[in-house]
Amino acid sequence: MTLRFVGIDPNRGGGGSPTLWVEEESADLVLQGVEAEALLKAVVGGTEWVPGHAVGIPPHETVIRIPVRMAQILREACDVAEQRAGLR
């Protein structure tokens, strides 16, 4: 597996930081972020966002936060992923 680093939270501290990569083979976005707090997980997991779609957060998934200051990095990651997948 090869990851292409796109960006990291510009306000990072000494510990882990929200980070974005694109996996070269699949062009999937890979995100590292702060795990959402219990209240946010409850809202996400308890709401039927799409009619007929299952409610809840599956055990193999989680909810993370990406700070708005990383919006430009997220856009760049989307551009890289689309280029890698041949969509552009």
Side-chain angles (χ1 to χ4, degrees):
M1 174 184 298
T2 303
L3 295 176
R4 177 175 171 176
F5 172 79
V6 178
I8 194 166
D9 183 351
N11 292 356
R12 65 189 177 278
S17 299
T19 309
L20 282 84
W21 302 266
V22 173
E23 184 191 352
E24 291 288 342
E25 293 79 21
S26 67
D28 287 344
L29 298 177
V30 178
L31 292 85
Q32 173 187 324
V34 176
E35 187 171 358
E37 66 276 9
L39 177 58
L40 180 55
K41 285 183 178 181
V43 170
V44 169
T47 303
E48 184 181 35
W49 298 102
V50 177
H53 191 275
V55 175
I57 301 169
H60 65 282
E61 296 182 3
T62 192
V63 177
I64 64 169
R65 284 186 177 270
I66 298 294
V68 69
R69 64 182 168 264
M70 292 185 68
Q72 182 57 42
I73 295 169
L74 184 55
R75 279 191 285 276
E76 181 182 343
C78 290
D79 290 343
V80 167
E82 286 181 333
Q83 289 168 356
R84 183 70 186 137
L87 300 176
R88 286 189 176 193

